[in-house]
Amino acid sequence: MSDVAVPPAPTPLYELRRYDDADALADAAAARIAELLQGALSARGRAVAALSGGATPQRAYAKLSRAKIDWPRVSVTLVDDLWAPASDPRSNKNLLDLTLFYDGGASGARFAPLYTGGASVEAGCAAAEAALRPLARPFDLVVLGMGPDGHVASFFPGGDRLSEALDPDGRALLTPMRAPGLPGTRISLTLAAILQARRILLLFSGRTKARTFQRALGPGPVEDMPIRAILRQRRAPVEVLCADIDGADVTPQPIAAAWKAVETARDRLAGRRIVDLFDTDPERFERLSARAEDMLLDLSKTGLDAGALEALLNLARAAGVETLRDAMFEGRPINATEGRPVLHAALRARPGDVFAAEGVDVMPEVLETRARALDFAEAVRSGAYAAADGGRFTDVVNIGIGGSDLGPVMAVRALAPVHDGPRCHFISNVDGAHAQDVLRTLDPARTLVLIASKTFTTIETMTNADTAMRWMKAGVGEAAGGHFAAISTALDKVEAFGIDPARAFGFWDWVGGRYSVWSSIGLSLMIAIGRADFEAFLDGGRAMDAHFRTAPLDKNLPVLLAAAGVWHRNALGLGSRAVIPYDQRLERLPAYLQQLDMESNGKTARLRDGLPGETGPVVWGEPGTNGQHAFFQLLHQGTTVIPVEFLVAATGWEPELAHHHSLLLANCFAQSEALMAGRSEQEAHDMMIAEGMEAAEARRLAPHRAFSGDRPSTMLIYRKLDPYTLGRLVALYEHRVFSEGVIWGVNAYDQWGVELGKTLAKALEPMVTGEASAAEKDGSTIGLIGWMKALQSG
Ligand SMILES: O=P(O)(O)OC[C@H]1O[C@](O)(CO)[C@@H](O)[C@@H]1O
């Protein structure tokens, strides 16, 4: 395998350098600052540095002041300052005057003050910002110290403008800041301004600060320890220079340490019932739910609390979810066992979006192929592309399996309300019953057959394709070829099969089969719902991509769903998850997700550092309310706890049947409540007594009618299952599977586990037909083939 196929390791969030004592640290920091300034001067002819106050940095500035740098081309400002003139001994400008600028030091450097005078800090802030703005594009260097409470700049825990100041995407460069116990008012660069830096140096020394730093590496809100905002970001590279840390472990947090914090949270929460967590935190629902547009994901009916969730998000960070996510969207070969990029997101992109596979722009081909497929779909829908006899196609049969079947099947069914094209049918199984049962209901003269196969070698699909071709030839004779179209990455094989290249639609090896519904593989869906609705479906996927790429992890739906998944699988050791859409039209979603999830993450071999232990769980499900009358018994009272993922739309498509929908919603909410709340034996007993039952009989039956409760579930609720929402849903699950795969360290994009069975089936076929001997096989296989033959001949 080429070097390029190696996926990026989770990059450490910062570089760390330790020094023996504060003096050595000051020497090293002064040298590094000088080096960075010099580099900026050589590259751009000017240099801009923002410097913090504090005991550790000030020793470095004293040494820096004599550095041989072309100081007149250097601009210096402060990261933060007291809102007071430089004559105030507590001001940071005063500190620079006594160190960097002392006795003509840094001679000729330009200084941009934060304190500009003025009637109020608010007014002065605006003036300082106007002066600073031309300099801060970006800072070449920001030097930070750290307080024993974990503050940096003037981001003091409890500060009055802390959340604005810590908004990484805020527009302001400066903010006033007041905090309880803090003398005076301060003015500070915002986090957004600091993160514009080309480089951040963080300096600290001493055991107390080392402990602070260690705590900051652990889980917990940024607001409690604002240094976390620097340590958890990946926008600006950070170098940490520290001394006198007395053996404290301040190395970047590895997965093991992050996992320890999850275990600690699990142990802390052991024995706490989910239902009781609502009593201790009245804002639990707000804290443990997140939204993307109208789509809301609620995790509050799981056993997580905010601390446990934060620990899981730290685990995701430590495992590199953000780095690998970015690498995926950048088209780097993260599918390292096959040496391929993973770019299904490009399939739902719009003109102007940028996607490149290892540097090669894929968008022209994606858009061109999409346009051809949609034009063909529209032509079939309108009758412009007609059957051999000139009539319209009334039926379309998609022949494919796995990803070449499940996506279209699921989506065509889900979008029935906007299905206004020809009827769609699907043949996947090599079992002749499938082809027979579908084809026997159809008129070949009115039927268009789509052969969908990424490889165009899959035995099931090629066998069914041959059968369909024979059926078609018997029906329409030599015109049969015109009733076929194909979708594949192997267009040469399509042509060899006899399908006109004009009706062959390609896709690319950077799309996994189970991620391909957005491509030409969705041709049956395009024909069913037409261009506008298919594009809305793509737009939904694209919107979820944007959300996944930009939302902070604690608001990021795919990452939150992954966090719940890892909690249940690894922290609680639960081996399966049920996906229960309260949406009849999502009846094929569980089957679709089985492939998406289990073919992606059902793996033992690791690609990179990941959480050891269990990986992908068993995924299964059926729509509610039907499931309630089948397997919910076990969900409520079985000895195995199975986390449930509910999905439901707030409104249905049938206004005249709104009362059905109210019942559907009520049942969905009721099931999640019942799983959580349960019913104690005492309650069951009292209920039966109230119904007039004898006391002895009530006691006997109480254990049978009790529900343990405390069974976790998540809920995804959205306005309506339209094409846009279906697109969001599918992309949400794709990115959830990706995030879990990264945490486990598996490659979610290969599927070697399906190969062995395929190879053996090829070898077994002649043994089954009697053309080859099975004598070399294992005893069971020999016995089974023997009995099969006996049955066939008897
Ligand atoms: O589209 P193809 O190449 O026919 O493959 C069908 C399916 O077979 C698999 O390769 C393995 O079962 C799936 O990943 C894929 O979706």
Side-chain angles (χ1 to χ4, degrees), residues 401-404 453-455 458 461 513-514 595 599 751 754 758:
I401 196 165
S404 301
S453 174
K454 180 173 169 180
T455 53
T458 305
T461 301
R514 53 196 175 274
Q595 188 197 14
E599 200 171 76
Q751 55 283 321
V754 300
K758 285 187 194 173

Side-chain angles (χ1 to χ4, degrees), residues 708-746:
S708 66
D710 210 32
R711 297 183 178 222
S713 68
T714 62
M715 177 80 67
L716 194 67
I717 177 164
Y718 39 86
R719 185 172 293 118
K720 189 172 177 178
L721 185 65
D722 54 21
Y724 180 76
T725 294
L726 183 71
R728 288 184 297 164
L729 268 180
V730 173
L732 164 65
Y733 272 96
E734 286 178 351
H735 295 321
R736 182 264 186 101
V737 165
F738 163 82
S739 301
E740 289 184 339
V742 172
I743 293 171
W744 289 319
V746 301

Side-chain angles (χ1 to χ4, degrees), residues 291-454:
R291 276 175 44 191
E293 303 172 301
D294 57 289
M295 189 175 270
L296 180 141
L297 173 66
D298 178 25
L299 303 185
S300 67
K301 287 200 188 91
T302 68
L304 290 166
D305 69 358
L309 184 58
E310 178 66 24
L312 286 158
L313 298 179
N314 276 335
L315 175 67
R317 283 186 195 97
V321 167
E322 291 155 306
T323 324
L324 281 152
R325 172 196 64 193
D326 296 345
M328 174 168 74
F329 281 97
E330 283 161 15
R332 295 174 64 185
I334 64 165
N335 172 357
T337 58
E338 297 178 319
R340 292 174 187 166
V342 174
L343 274 176
H344 44 273
L347 300 171
R348 48 223 186 202
R350 282 200 202 153
D353 292 347
V354 177
F355 281 96
E358 296 185 76
V360 179
D361 184 1
V362 300
M363 286 311 296
E365 274 194 65
V366 166
L367 295 173
E368 197 258 335
T369 307
R370 186 192 302 162
R372 275 188 62 230
L374 280 167
D375 288 349
F376 179 68
E378 286 299 327
V380 172
R381 285 162 60 83
S382 68
Y385 185 75
D389 63 5
R392 273 180 196 241
F393 288 111
T394 56
D395 294 86
V396 171
V397 177
N398 184 83
I399 297 181
I401 196 165
S404 301
D405 168 69
L406 287 163
V409 173
M410 179 275 294
V412 166
R413 177 76 187 100
L415 298 179
V418 296
H419 186 159
D420 53 4
R423 290 179 290 266
C424 288
H425 313 266
F426 296 88
I427 299 175
S428 52
N429 202 327
V430 76
D431 185 344
H434 205 176
Q436 171 66 14
D437 289 353
V438 171
L439 297 180
R440 113 183 118 74
T441 63
L442 300 175
D443 174 2
R446 301 268 68 79
T447 302
L448 176 70
V449 179
L450 311 177
I451 311 296
S453 174
K454 180 173 169 180

Side-chain angles (χ1 to χ4, degrees), residues 628-674:
Q628 289 174 209
H629 300 275
F631 52 81
F632 269 53
Q633 164 64 39
L634 186 148
L635 295 183
H636 286 292
Q637 289 190 317
T639 50
T640 302
V641 173
I642 298 174
V644 180
E645 300 186 356
F646 291 103
L647 297 95
V648 71
T651 56
W653 279 89
E654 293 76 23
E656 70 286 5
L657 300 179
H659 61 295
H660 283 247
H661 205 77
S662 301
L663 276 172
L664 185 74
L665 281 158
N667 270 279
C668 181
F669 296 151
Q671 289 302 324
S672 73
E673 185 188 343

Side-chain angles (χ1 to χ4, degrees), residues 375-567:
D375 288 349
F376 179 68
E378 286 299 327
V380 172
R381 285 162 60 83
S382 68
Y385 185 75
D389 63 5
R392 273 180 196 241
F393 288 111
T394 56
D395 294 86
V396 171
V397 177
N398 184 83
I399 297 181
I401 196 165
S404 301
D405 168 69
L406 287 163
V409 173
M410 179 275 294
V412 166
R413 177 76 187 100
L415 298 179
V418 296
H419 186 159
D420 53 4
R423 290 179 290 266
C424 288
H425 313 266
F426 296 88
I427 299 175
S428 52
N429 202 327
V430 76
D431 185 344
H434 205 176
Q436 171 66 14
D437 289 353
V438 171
L439 297 180
R440 113 183 118 74
T441 63
L442 300 175
D443 174 2
R446 301 268 68 79
T447 302
L448 176 70
V449 179
L450 311 177
I451 311 296
S453 174
K454 180 173 169 180
T455 53
F456 230 69
T457 56
T458 305
I459 192 78
E460 292 92 333
T461 301
M462 300 326 295
T463 306
N464 281 321
D466 286 338
T467 299
M469 184 59 96
R470 276 199 305 280
W471 171 79
M472 189 62 78
K473 281 187 175 154
V476 302
E478 282 317 301
H483 284 222
F484 276 75
I487 307 118
S488 181
T489 56
L491 293 178
D492 50 335
K493 295 198 174 78
V494 172
E495 204 172 343
F497 182 83
I499 295 178
D500 186 339
R503 289 188 308 284
F505 302 93
F507 63 115
W508 302 271
D509 69 358
W510 39 257
V511 189
R514 53 196 175 274
Y515 297 86
S516 65
V517 61
W518 320 94
S519 71
S520 318
I521 286 289
L523 187 57
S524 51
L525 179 64
M526 296 178 204
I527 295 173
I529 66 176
R531 185 190 303 272
D533 282 321
F534 188 80
E535 284 176 349
F537 170 67
L538 298 187
D539 280 348
R542 183 173 177 272
M544 187 53 70
D545 291 339
H547 170 81
F548 180 51
R549 291 176 86 166
T550 58
L553 297 196
D554 61 349
K555 306 262 182 309
N556 196 308
L557 266 50
V559 177
L560 290 170
L561 205 49
V566 170
W567 177 255

